[in-house]
Amino acid sequence: PSGIDNTAATFGGVLRFCRTDAAPTFEKKKPKERIRIVYASTGITASTTAVVGDVKEKKEADEAWFASLLTKYEAVLARGEAALDAGDLEALGKCLDENHALCQELTVSCPELDALVDAARAAGAIGAKMSGTGRGGLMIALTPSEAIQEKVKSALSKLAPQVWTTFLA
């Protein structure tokens, strides 16, 4: 286990979490403005163990490909954190989109997640991506206003068994 679930439940808000060879580290982040998000569930539960095992096999089969993907992911992470710190939601949304594309390349997304991400973007989300283990589960969409948040919620409610709106502040 990474430790992120219990850390997030304890401290809430936006966290920068890093698992290290020693103890995990985390830093609370304070967004410059309220960030409106929409979560939607595919209704599919995937096995984390199975997904992680598949990713490990892909890594071992082509370490150069995996290293390249990891380098891209780390670059998106750095840009996303900088965008969050600067309050640049448009740039943050682009990072969500890039991250989702990397998850697709890693084969941890699925058609149901991709459909929800596409629907959120079509309804006005400025970025969207899968969240968690993948191959089911949840997606998250970043919305620039309350009106767009409601529009995205409405669009996702036509496809997903559960949809929630919330904000980070």
Side-chain angles (χ1 to χ4, degrees), residues 4 7-8 11-17 26-33 35 37 39 80-81 84-85 92 167-169:
I4 187 61
T7 302
F11 295 98
V14 179
L15 299 174
R16 182 184 199 282
F17 181 90
F26 69 93
E27 172 189 355
K28 279 196 80 152
K29 295 287 193 171
K30 181 70 176 152
K32 290 190 180 254
E33 62 183 87
I35 298 175
I37 56 177
Y39 281 104
E81 185 174 9
L84 177 68
D85 291 344
L92 183 59
F167 63 89
L168 305 170

Side-chain angles (χ1 to χ4, degrees), residues 123-148:
I126 55 177
K129 67 177 290 294
M130 58 159 279
S131 179
T133 298
R135 297 193 187 151
L138 303 172
M139 60 77 64
I140 182 173
L142 181 62
T143 55
S145 68
E146 188 174 348
I148 297 295

Side-chain angles (χ1 to χ4, degrees), residues 11 13 15 19 34 54 66 81 100-101 104 107 117 120-121 125 128 138 143 146 150 152 158 165:
F11 295 98
L15 299 174
R19 190 164 29 170
R34 179 181 282 201
D54 289 349
F66 189 84
E81 185 174 9
H100 187 72
Q104 289 172 313
T107 72
V117 165
R121 291 174 184 157
L138 303 172
T143 55
E146 188 174 348
E150 287 303 314
V152 170
K158 294 173 184 167
T165 58

Side-chain angles (χ1 to χ4, degrees), residues 33-71:
E33 62 183 87
R34 179 181 282 201
I35 298 175
R36 290 175 178 84
I37 56 177
V38 180
Y39 281 104
S41 173
T42 61
I44 300 168
T45 302
S47 164
T48 300
T49 302
V51 174
V52 169
D54 289 349
V55 169
K56 182 179 179 187
E57 284 180 20
K58 289 182 77 60
K59 176 185 177 188
E60 290 170 351
D62 190 345
E63 292 198 18
W65 166 82
F66 189 84
S68 172
L69 190 71
L70 186 58
T71 297

